[in-house]
Amino acid sequence: MTLRIEVDAEKCMGGGNCEFWAPKTFEMGDDNISHVIDPDGDPEEKIVLAAQGCPTQAIAVWRGEERIA
Amino acid sequence: MTTVLDAAGQFSDWDPLAQYPIDPPGARDPYPRLAECRRSKPIATRNARDEHGNIVDAFEVYRYDDVAAVMRDNTTFSSESIRADMAPVMGEHVLVGMDEPDHKRLRSLVQFPFRPKSIAHWEDELVRPVVDGMIDRFVDRGHAELVQEFTYTYPVQVIAVILGLPHEDHLQFHQWANAITNFAANPKTGFIAARELRAYFADVVEDRRKHPRDDIVTEIAVAEIDGERISDEETFSFLQLLLPAGAETTYRATGNFLFGLLSNPDQLDAIRADRSLMTQAVEESIRWGPPLLITSRIATKDTEIAGTPVPAGSQVIANVGSANRDETRWERADEFDIFRESVPMISFGVGVHMCLGMHLARMEMRTAVNRLLDRCPSLRFDAEAIERDDVHIHGETFRSPTAIPVLFNPSGSPPQAPAPTALGRQSHTERLASVT
C-alpha cells in the first residue's frame, strides 16, 4: 500500500537527513525544503527511519488511517 | 598540541595525550559513570565554567529522551552558551551559537552546498584523491600509526580542497587548523592563528567575488535568499567554524570507526568482503563512538527536566554520548555492532542545529575506510604496539583513540600468513573491548 507522506514546510530546516535515509523518496529542493518525489521510492522501513531521523519532526507518515511515523 | 606539521606530513614532538586538552587525567572511560547516571539520577548537577571562566553549577542530562528534548526545544534552551565560548575565536556570528530567527536565516544561506546531492560529486573528485595521497605515504611500508599519519590530517586537507585553496597554502592552513583546534590548550597561539586565518579568508572571499569559481567559497560568498546576502563577518566565521566543527570531529569519528572495526575482526572481515555494509557501519560507529560527547544550552526561562526544576539562566549539558548508549533504545548498547538494526542516533545532534556537515562527514568516513581496506590488504591492529603504548580510546569531552597502530601487507608484496594466532587474537580483542 502506498504510504501517505507529509512534510511540514514550516518545520523543515533543510538538513537533508530524510534524503540520506530515503533518497528515492525525498529530495531537498532549491527552496531549502524537503519534497516527496515518490512515496514508493524506498522500502517502508527506510521511509519510517527518514521520518524518525528528521531533526525537526517535520515528516508524518500514514499507512491508510494509521500514522506509523 | 604544540606539534608542527612538516611538508612531508610528519609531526614533530607528537604527544598522543595532548589530543584531550580539556579533560582531567583519567578521562579514559566515562561510559560506566554515564550508565549509572541514566539508571539512578537522570539529571544531575556538575561543575561547569561560564563565559567568564567562573565555576558554576550546570545540569547534565543523560537519557536519550531528555537529551533529545533539550536539543529540540531551542526556545527554552538557547545556544547562547556556545556563542559565548566560541565568539573570541570564531566571531560573534558563529552559526552553532545562534538562536532563531538569526540562525535559520544564516543556515539557509550556507547549507545549500552541504546537501547530500551537492556533495555527491566531491567523493570521487576531491575526497578520494586526498585520502589516496595520504595512503601513498605509508602503503609500501606495511605498518602505520593511523592517527598521526591519516585521521588527524585528512579532514583538514579535505576542507582545504573543498574551499579551493591553492596547494602551496595547504601546509600553512594545516598549521592554523592545528592551532585553532587546540585553542583550549594554548589560547594565545589559537588567537593569533584565528586572526591570521580571518585575514587570509578575507582575501579568498574577495577573490571569489571578483572571479567566481565552482567552489564552496564562491557559493557561500554570493549566496542570496530573498535578496539578502551573507555579511563578510558571517562568511569568515562560517569558514573558520569548518575547522573545529568539520575537521576535528571527523578526525576523531574516523579514528573511533577504525578502532571499532579493528577491535572486532569478524566485523572487519565482513565489511571488507561486502562494502554495502559501509553505510550502516558508519552510523553504528558514530553512535558507539561519537567524537564529541557533550553540548550545552542555557535555559531561557524556569523549566523542568525529568521532574527536576531548572531555573532560568542555568547551563544545561546534553550528554549525547550517554544518550547513544541508552539501554531503552539499543540492546547491548555498549557493543559495537555494525549489524544492529538502524535507529537514528544523536551524535549529530537533533533539532534546528543538527550537524550541517553530517552528509560530508559520513561520506568522508566511508571513503577513508573504503580506501584503507582497498589499498592495505589484511589491515589489522599491531598487537605489540597496542600493548606497549597502552593504546585506547580516550576522553570524556572529545573522544578518540590515542593511536591506531596497524600492520598490513605492503603494496606489491605477496600475502603474508596472518600473524596473530586464533587464541592471541581472541584475548587481544577482549582486552580492547574492556577498555573501550
Side-chain angles (χ1 to χ4, degrees), chain A residues 9-21 23 26-32 37 46 49 52-57, chain B residues 72 103-104 107-109 111-112 114-117 225 279 283 342-344 349-356 358-359 362 366:
Chain A
E10 282 300 307
K11 284 188 185 168
C12 175
M13 42 77 85
N17 216 29
C18 51
E19 193 178 307
F20 169 75
W21 288 110
F26 299 93
E27 185 175 74
M28 300 309 302
D30 291 348
D31 53 3
N32 214 23
I37 49 171
K46 295 291 177 196
L49 262 177
Q52 289 170 346
C54 173
T56 53
Q57 297 174 312
Chain B
R72 281 208 162 100
H103 165 265
K104 184 168 188 174
R107 177 151 177 155
S108 307
L109 285 167
Q111 81 177 351
F112 202 74
F114 294 92
R115 297 177 310 169
K117 289 208 169 77
I225 287 188
T279 299
E283 292 306 295
S342 279
V343 177
V350 72
V352 297
H353 284 280
M354 188 175 193
C355 181
L356 175 84
M358 60 187 160
H359 307 300
R362 285 161 165 155
R366 190 171 71 226

Side-chain angles (χ1 to χ4, degrees), chain B residues 140-196:
Chain B
D140 294 328
R141 206 196 295 149
H143 64 92
E145 199 287 88
L146 292 179
V147 174
Q148 273 189 75
E149 299 190 77
F150 188 68
T151 60
Y152 189 77
T153 41
Y154 93 88
V156 176
Q157 187 81 13
V158 166
I159 288 176
V161 173
I162 285 173
L163 294 179
L165 307 184
H167 191 75
E168 62 268 25
D169 293 350
H170 284 195
L171 186 62
Q172 176 61 64
F173 188 68
H174 269 280
Q175 311 291 15
W176 283 326
N178 219 18
I180 290 172
T181 302
N182 293 291
F183 176 78
N186 197 336
K188 196 177 162 196
T189 314
F191 267 126
I192 295 169
R195 207 173 50 206
E196 291 176 354

Side-chain angles (χ1 to χ4, degrees), chain B residues 232-264:
Chain B
D232 282 355
E233 280 305 304
E234 289 167 339
T235 308
F236 306 150
S237 286
F238 181 71
L239 295 175
Q240 276 191 301
L241 180 63
L242 292 176
L243 291 172
E248 179 172 17
T249 49
T250 308
Y251 115 67
R252 294 185 191 275
T254 306
N256 292 337
F257 185 22
L258 284 165
F259 210 90
L261 289 174
L262 290 159
S263 307
N264 294 276

Side-chain angles (χ1 to χ4, degrees), chain B residues 21-144:
Chain B
I22 55 176
D23 282 337
R28 190 168 173 134
D29 184 4
Y31 286 112
R33 174 182 74 84
L34 296 173
E36 178 55 31
C37 290
R38 286 193 300 277
R39 267 193 302 275
S40 62
K41 43 176 182 178
I43 175 163
T45 53
R46 63 174 255 179
N47 285 342
R49 286 187 189 276
D50 68 11
E51 67 268 35
H52 307 296
N54 302 317
I55 300 268
V56 293
D57 266 352
F59 293 90
E60 187 169 40
V61 294
Y62 305 100
R63 293 179 181 169
Y64 184 92
D65 289 344
D66 296 333
V67 168
V70 166
M71 297 182 94
R72 281 208 162 100
D73 184 356
N74 56 300
T75 310
T76 308
F77 301 102
S78 156
S79 294
E80 169 60 24
S81 51
I82 299 178
R83 194 198 60 77
D85 267 353
M86 296 185 87
V89 188
M90 301 287 150
E92 293 296 316
H93 303 282
V94 60
L95 187 62
V96 288
M98 291 166 90
D99 289 322
E100 302 311 316
D102 296 343
H103 165 265
K104 184 168 188 174
R105 176 194 147 269
L106 183 56
R107 177 151 177 155
S108 307
L109 285 167
V110 297
Q111 81 177 351
F112 202 74
F114 294 92
R115 297 177 310 169
K117 289 208 169 77
S118 306
I119 64 158
H121 69 283
W122 289 350
E123 179 165 349
D124 289 339
E125 291 169 22
L126 302 180
V127 177
R128 192 175 150 148
V130 164
V131 163
D132 275 346
M134 305 199 69
I135 296 173
D136 283 343
R137 292 176 176 155
F138 55 76
V139 71
D140 294 328
R141 206 196 295 149
H143 64 92

Side-chain angles (χ1 to χ4, degrees), chain A:
Chain A
M1 183 193 289
T2 299
L3 301 173
R4 184 156 61 88
I5 307 168
E6 284 178 8
V7 178
D8 183 331
E10 282 300 307
K11 284 188 185 168
C12 175
M13 42 77 85
N17 216 29
C18 51
E19 193 178 307
F20 169 75
W21 288 110
K24 293 179 182 141
T25 305
F26 299 93
E27 185 175 74
M28 300 309 302
D30 291 348
D31 53 3
N32 214 23
I33 287 167
S34 170
H35 298 272
V36 177
I37 49 171
D38 178 4
D40 295 316
D42 293 278
E44 181 176 309
E45 70 267 20
K46 295 291 177 196
I47 295 171
V48 168
L49 262 177
Q52 289 170 346
C54 173
T56 53
Q57 297 174 312
I59 300 171
V61 183
W62 281 271
R63 192 198 300 116
E65 291 302 302
E66 184 197 1
R67 181 164 174 179
I68 57 172

